Amino acid sequence: MSTRFPFTAVVGQQDLQLALLLNAVAPNIGGVLVRGEKGTAKSTAVRALAALLPQVEVVAGCRFSCDPASPDPACPDGPHTGAAAEARDARMVELPVGASEDRLVGALDIERALAEGVKAFEPGLLAAANRGILYVDEVNLLHDHLVDVLLDAAAMGASYVEREGVSVRHAARFLLVGTMNPEEGELRPQLLDRFGLTVEVAASREPDQRVEVVRRRLAYDDDPAAFAARWADEESAVRQRIVAARELLPKVRLGDGALKQIAATCAAFEVDGMRADIVMARTATALAAWDGRSDVLAEDVRQAALLALPHRRRRNPFDAPGLDEDKLDRTLEESAGDDGDPDPDGPGGGGQPSPEEGPQGGDAGARPGTGEDGEPQPAAGGAGEQAPARAAEPFRTKALTVPGVGAGAAGRRSRARTERGRTTGALRPRGALTKLHLAATVRAAAPHQRARGRSGPGLVLRRDDLRQAAREGREGNLVLFVVDASGSMAARQRMSAVKGAVLSLLLDAYQRRDKVGLVTFRGTAAEVALPPTSSVDAAAARLESLPTGGRTPLAAGLLKAHDVLRVERLRDPSRRALLVVVTDGRATGGPEPVALAGRAARLLGAESVASVVVDCESGPVRLGLAGRLAEELGGTAVTLEELRADAIAGLVRDVRGTTSRRAA
């Protein structure tokens, strides 16, 4: 067995270590979600925690790690009356991103259950993790339904496996830890809320601390056993402290004053529901026990807020995580009955100008670049380039869907054959049976009962009788944005509206679990501003900093999109694409720009790429160029005004109908 890097040897991640230790003391806090850039010791710290947990007493031979002092009466391996006990180390079980639901919760032998009435159950990872740690690296890449199962089991302390009326229940109490890199996509807000604590980690920018990280890592790589031995005393001290804190935890007093501060803090930061209040209370109590105190203090409440609230106050994926610590301190002081009257506007009296008002409190549109006075301010990108415009407020859109039925990754956009959803038929299973179609299975077996010598009430089944349920749900797509950033789009209010529309579609893509990509074109060429990714907040950041100016190489933008889609089809053939072109339809620069743009559009149309052109043309006289572009793409055109949810009702039908006509 390999020697793990010592927990106490991790450098510069105090918040991460504290959050993990608090959950080791009080697992009912609800686990830890560790967010941060790659290479920040997220996985190292989690794996090292397992070595610090005290040994557990288990029933000998029980696959579900039942406690001999109070065995689970419903344990599938039970009953455990008078069973022998044994001590073993707490387990750390890792859930791979590509795991199936059967691997996670376990599987029933449906054939034996139907034919013999026997509950033959093969435990999954939830059973293995009972009374230990369940670790999910890159939890944001895990299928949503698996995350739902995980969090439900963590909340209830039990796992339920049900198949066609046959059910098994077993205990599943574990410390849940997930790690993720936000650049690869976010978790849904509902799932974020289910994690008790969240910690943001980043690599230190202090040279001395970085040197120490490298020094310790090299020493560990050279001789893991010797390195671990040097930290053995520190590891033993932390292990003993965890045991002492667990013993003290039931005696810690959470007074009315601390409860009032918790409630006031959650209300001040407008978190949804009551889960935050409960998690804060448990965390503050664990903090007191960790420090060896029997009373919860204001400092415990403050630290609990910093760990439990940042991920619960985000309203959309474009909000920066974090907590306003000045506001937190004011709230704690006021809820503690402080007689002082802190000035909410700060020492300046009038407060600082909001981001929307700018430095002088003016309109949000009057930012550097092309202000309302019409004076351009070129940026560093060259002549004719203008500073980025701020995106207008996003709005709600209705779904744009890809026609037909796909078979891509689970999501919420287009129709697809999936493992979850409504049952549409039955088929012979390929490999292991996962979703039994009971009626089809009985129909397949019924004609053969006499030939098989059936004499009793049981159904005589063969493997060939089993039928898999065919289901239809929703898939996530690749939404590729092709955005015109040329001079014809550079009017400040106009570009602000364009960015607001794209931001709205990005938010919709986030909610529908899509991958997104961003291609921009201006001047003489097009570029991939963001390769296809699951991180829509990265796309929003690129959009925000997008400069404008120069000619309109529309053909280059469409051809670049064609290249991106071709590569993505090779990488992920099952994920279908939706092309969203945001332009006024003009094409300038180079020889025959209009003809070149038409040929590029027809190339995409010939490959049956579902497409929508967002027409950004404005003014009393309109040329209708975006509409012609949509026709050549084989898609549909919609104006910025029509893109809003209350005006977009016919758009999906148009996209579907146009594509169907083209295919015919």
Side-chain angles (χ1 to χ4, degrees):
M1 181 178 178
S2 60
T3 303
R4 288 178 175 150
F5 193 93
F7 185 85
T8 51
V10 175
V11 178
Q13 301 294 0
Q14 289 81 5
D15 287 345
L16 168 58
Q17 290 172 304
L18 178 61
L20 292 172
L21 290 169
L22 292 177
N23 272 270
V25 173
N28 62 357
I29 287 175
V32 185
L33 176 64
V34 188
R35 298 162 42 92
E37 58 196 32
K38 51 188 175 292
T40 50
K42 302 187 298 292
S43 300
T44 299
V46 176
R47 293 187 175 101
L49 177 67
L52 297 179
L53 297 183
Q55 285 194 326
V56 293
E57 291 281 335
V58 299
V59 173
C62 177
R63 296 174 296 169
F64 304 88
S65 302
C66 279
D67 185 351
S70 56
D72 182 4
C75 177
D77 284 356
H80 294 309
T81 305
E86 63 181 9
R88 63 162 174 79
D89 294 336
R91 292 174 179 161
M92 193 197 75
V93 177
E94 294 194 40
L95 173 63
V97 169
S100 65
E101 185 172 347
D102 283 348
R103 182 74 182 99
L104 176 62
V105 301
L108 287 171
D109 188 332
I110 299 297
E111 188 173 354
R112 290 190 63 192
L114 289 176
E116 305 173 26
V118 176
K119 292 184 180 180
F121 179 65
E122 183 64 31
L125 296 178
L126 291 180
N130 187 33
R131 304 179 68 202
I133 300 174
L134 183 59
Y135 171 48
V136 189
D137 194 13
E138 306 295 352
V139 66
N140 51 323
L141 303 183
L142 199 65
H143 283 302
D144 284 347
H145 74 280
L146 292 183
V147 180
D148 287 330
V149 171
L150 266 181
L151 296 173
D152 285 343
M156 296 185 297
S159 174
Y160 295 85
V161 184
E162 299 194 10
R163 295 278 178 84
E164 306 294 344
V166 181
S167 64
V168 171
R169 173 210 167 275
H170 66 81
R173 296 181 178 87
F174 49 82
L175 194 169
L176 177 62
V177 184
T179 58
M180 60 174 283
N181 183 349
E183 293 178 357
E184 296 171 342
E186 287 283 357
L187 278 172
R188 298 201 320 262
Q190 298 93 327
L191 300 181
L192 272 175
D193 182 60
R194 297 291 295 275
F195 279 94
L197 309 180
T198 297
V199 179
E200 296 281 337
V201 296
S204 173
R205 299 299 184 258
E206 293 292 331
D208 291 343
Q209 199 168 72
R210 296 175 74 95
V211 166
E212 185 61 23
V213 170
V214 175
R215 181 181 290 117
R216 292 187 186 184
R217 185 68 211 192
L218 293 177
Y220 171 77
D221 291 341
D222 288 342
D223 191 343
F227 183 82
R230 291 204 299 270
W231 292 88
D233 291 343
E234 288 83 351
E235 295 281 287
S236 177
V238 172
R239 189 179 298 109
Q240 294 172 11
R241 191 173 175 184
I242 291 174
V243 173
R246 285 183 175 183
E247 294 175 352
L248 179 60
L249 186 64
K251 306 173 186 176
V252 175
R253 176 181 173 274
L254 181 65
D256 291 342
L259 278 173
K260 181 179 178 182
Q261 287 184 313
I262 291 170
T265 302
C266 292
F269 285 97
E270 300 179 354
V271 295
D272 297 330
M274 295 297 297
R275 184 174 284 117
D277 303 63
I278 296 170
V279 171
M280 274 190 65
R282 289 171 175 168
T283 305
T285 304
L287 280 162
W290 179 248
D291 285 341
R293 291 182 275 102
S294 58
D295 286 296
V296 174
L297 305 179
E299 63 193 56
D300 300 322
V301 175
R302 186 182 191 278
Q303 183 64 58
L306 293 174
L307 293 172
L309 296 188
H311 62 297
R312 292 186 166 90
R313 57 166 294 276
R314 299 184 76 188
R315 292 295 183 262
N316 65 61
F318 312 133
D319 290 339
L323 212 62
D324 184 340
E325 295 194 32
D326 291 337
K327 179 178 179 180
L328 174 60
D329 291 335
R330 290 197 302 270
T331 301
L332 292 174
E333 290 175 5
E334 293 168 1
S335 58
D338 192 348
D339 293 334
D341 185 17
D343 182 0
D345 291 329
Q352 298 296 319
S354 68
E356 293 77 14
E357 293 176 344
Q360 302 299 325
D363 183 39
R367 297 184 61 194
T370 52
E372 290 187 341
D373 59 1
E375 182 66 27
Q377 299 180 16
E385 182 177 306
Q386 300 171 5
R390 169 174 289 184
E393 190 69 21
F395 51 84
R396 186 174 63 88
T397 69
K398 288 190 176 179
L400 310 176
T401 62
V402 177
V405 180
R412 295 184 171 188
R413 184 171 295 277
S414 305
R415 293 172 57 203
R417 294 179 294 274
T418 62
E419 291 188 1
R420 299 173 68 86
R422 64 186 183 90
T423 301
T424 58
L427 46 83
R428 291 181 181 273
R430 296 178 180 177
L433 179 72
T434 55
K435 298 290 182 182
L436 178 74
H437 194 298
L438 181 59
T441 298
V442 172
R443 284 197 299 269
H448 308 291
Q449 295 305 294
R450 180 174 295 179
R452 293 172 183 173
R454 174 184 169 185
S455 58
L459 191 66
V460 181
L461 285 176
R462 298 289 185 269
R463 175 69 185 174
D464 290 344
D465 299 330
L466 299 178
R467 294 295 182 269
Q468 176 85 20
R471 302 191 177 213
E472 183 177 299
R474 293 280 169 176
E475 67 177 359
N477 297 118
L478 167 60
V479 182
L480 182 62
F481 294 92
V482 181
V483 180
D484 184 348
S486 65
S488 64
M489 301 279 290
R492 181 148 302 278
Q493 291 184 350
R494 184 179 178 192
M495 197 61 198
S496 177
V498 168
K499 286 188 175 183
V502 178
L503 195 65
S504 303
L505 291 169
L506 281 172
L507 182 58
D508 180 69
Y510 164 76
Q511 294 167 340
R512 298 184 187 280
R513 313 302 289 168
D514 295 315
K515 289 181 70 174
V516 296
L518 179 62
V519 172
T520 64
F521 59 94
R522 65 186 183 92
T524 60
E527 66 171 343
V528 181
L530 183 72
T533 175
S534 298
S535 178
V536 294
D537 52 344
R542 301 292 172 87
L543 180 71
E544 186 71 20
S545 61
L546 178 66
T548 57
R551 293 184 178 273
T552 312
L554 177 58
L558 296 175
L559 291 174
K560 183 67 72 174
H562 179 270
D563 290 343
V564 172
L565 294 176
R566 177 178 56 81
V567 172
E568 285 302 307
R569 276 195 295 270
L570 294 174
R571 289 177 176 170
D572 190 355
S574 64
R575 188 181 289 271
R576 298 185 294 163
L578 175 65
L579 183 68
V580 180
V581 185
V582 185
T583 181
D584 57 10
R586 290 180 172 85
T588 61
E592 300 183 340
V594 176
L596 283 174
R599 286 200 291 270
R602 289 190 291 275
L603 174 64
L604 286 162
E607 296 183 356
S608 300
V609 177
S611 58
V612 176
V613 178
V614 180
D615 185 358
C616 302
E617 192 174 27
S618 61
V621 179
R622 302 197 179 195
L623 303 178
L625 299 175
R628 294 181 208 168
L629 175 63
E631 291 177 3
E632 292 176 316
L633 284 167
T636 189
V638 58
T639 66
L640 287 173
E641 293 78 14
E642 294 169 338
L643 196 59
R644 294 182 178 274
D646 55 358
I648 201 173
L651 181 58
V652 173
R653 291 194 300 272
D654 291 342
V655 174
R656 189 176 289 131
T658 303
T659 309
S660 299
R661 288 195 299 273
R662 182 179 63 222

